[in-house]
Amino acid sequence: PSANLLQQITLASPRLAVQQALLNPQPILQCACCDDSPDAPTVTMPALSVAYWICTECPRNINLHDWLVSFFSVVKADSDHGQDSGGAKKKKRKEADVEDCVWQSAFIQSVSELQLLGFIKSTRQKTDHVR
């Protein structure tokens, strides 16, 4: 074997491994719910993977509100928007509000983890953007 091949095998590339795991978590998680090679983020992926996937599709700077809206469009894709009347409608609305809070906290945690991993950083020009 050549020295170059041995160097590629022995030298770790953690950033690339983490990026691949975030874009395709199924081989790591070994779950049946995730696609083996997804073309887009799905609701079955971990929140961190969904947030990273959306981040990679954006230009250099990403607005946090736009990122959150895109995140919600993925994770809430399977939500039922049926119409009920009376008390059932109020109960569903309250459950939807709680679900929104849970997903928003998952998004905030994902953004914090991406920042900790070094994939994003805040900008000084625009406080509501990250790069």
Side-chain angles (χ1 to χ4, degrees), residues 62-81:
I62 181 170
N63 180 293
L64 288 171
H65 181 265
D66 295 340
W67 193 6
L68 176 64
V69 170
S70 297
F71 181 82
F72 269 23
S73 70
V74 172
V75 298
K76 296 179 76 177
D78 292 340
S79 293
D80 183 27
H81 297 291

Side-chain angles (χ1 to χ4, degrees), residues 109-125:
Q109 181 179 358
S110 298
V111 170
S112 297
E113 289 174 359
L114 288 172
Q115 190 173 16
L116 179 71
L117 290 169
F119 288 113
I120 60 170
K121 61 182 180 178
S122 60
T123 62
R124 291 187 179 186
Q125 297 88 5

Side-chain angles (χ1 to χ4, degrees), residues 34-120:
C34 297
D35 292 338
D36 191 22
S37 56
D39 296 330
T42 62
V43 70
T44 59
M45 287 180 163
L48 180 60
S49 292
V50 173
Y52 181 71
W53 194 297
I54 295 168
C55 181
T56 60
E57 293 177 347
C58 293
R60 184 168 169 83
N61 289 336
I62 181 170
N63 180 293
L64 288 171
H65 181 265
D66 295 340
W67 193 6
L68 176 64
V69 170
S70 297
F71 181 82
F72 269 23
S73 70
V74 172
V75 298
K76 296 179 76 177
D78 292 340
S79 293
D80 183 27
H81 297 291
Q83 295 291 330
D84 288 332
S85 60
K89 188 174 185 180
K90 282 186 179 180
K91 187 175 181 180
K92 271 196 167 187
R93 180 67 185 153
K94 187 169 184 155
E95 289 173 0
D97 288 345
V98 170
E99 182 184 1
D100 286 352
C101 289
V102 169
W103 282 120
Q104 188 173 4
S105 66
F107 173 76
I108 292 169
Q109 181 179 358
S110 298
V111 170
S112 297
E113 289 174 359
L114 288 172
Q115 190 173 16
L116 179 71
L117 290 169
F119 288 113
I120 60 170

